[in-house]
Structures are given as structure tokens and as C-alpha cells.
Amino acid sequence: MTKTSPRTKAAASDGPEPSYEQALDELERLVAAMEGQQLPLDQLLQSYQRGAQLLTLCRDRLQAVEQQVKLLDGAELKAWEGS
């Protein structure tokens, strides 16, 4: 039986929002735990709910950055030429 770490519990409580990187890291750990183990139903539901919160947070942050980039580039995103 896997228990939620103190760090995960603290991150899930009301407090300052994690950074994008922290949220993504926690989301990856939650997904790995849900995929790789037989979690009790209650813990699985809590993990799913927390994952949904983190996913929303990450998407919102990415959209905010995209909007800032649009403003800086004159409202037009340019194709990425980094590959």
C-alpha cells in the first residue's frame, strides 16, 4: 500500500501555487503512481483529482506565456525553426 508523501500532501493543501516545473513534476509522479501500482480506491480518486488540478494549472500557465509571446511578436506566433 502506497502512502502519499508529505510533499504531495503539502502541495495539495491550500497554499501558494507551485511553479510550472513543480506542478509538472508532481503530475508526472502522480501518473506514475497511478499507472504502476494498485492504489486503494480513495487514494486513486484523490490522485486523479490532484492531477486534474495540476493539469489545469499547467495549461493555464502555458496559455498565459503564449499570450505574452503573442504580444511580444506583434500578435502573430512565428513557426519554430529550432529543429
Side-chain angles (χ1 to χ4, degrees):
M1 182 167 142
T2 303
K3 294 184 179 180
T4 305
S5 71
R7 182 176 175 199
T8 303
K9 284 182 182 178
S13 67
D14 292 335
E17 286 188 341
S19 69
Y20 173 82
E21 292 77 10
Q22 291 169 328
L24 188 58
D25 181 56
E26 184 180 349
L27 182 57
E28 289 173 346
R29 285 186 279 114
L30 283 172
V31 169
M34 289 189 299
E35 287 179 343
Q37 301 174 9
Q38 294 288 331
L39 298 176
L41 184 59
D42 290 342
Q43 188 174 354
L44 185 61
L45 178 59
Q46 289 174 352
S47 295
Y48 182 84
Q49 289 171 336
R50 179 63 179 159
Q53 292 171 343
L54 292 167
L55 183 59
T56 298
L57 186 142
C58 289
R59 284 182 179 165
D60 289 348
R61 296 251 172 99
L62 287 173
Q63 287 176 345
V65 169
E66 183 177 310
Q67 290 301 317
Q68 290 175 347
V69 170
K70 283 181 181 180
L71 287 173
L72 294 172
D73 280 345
E76 184 175 320
L77 282 177
K78 298 176 183 175
W80 178 257
E81 298 177 12
S83 53

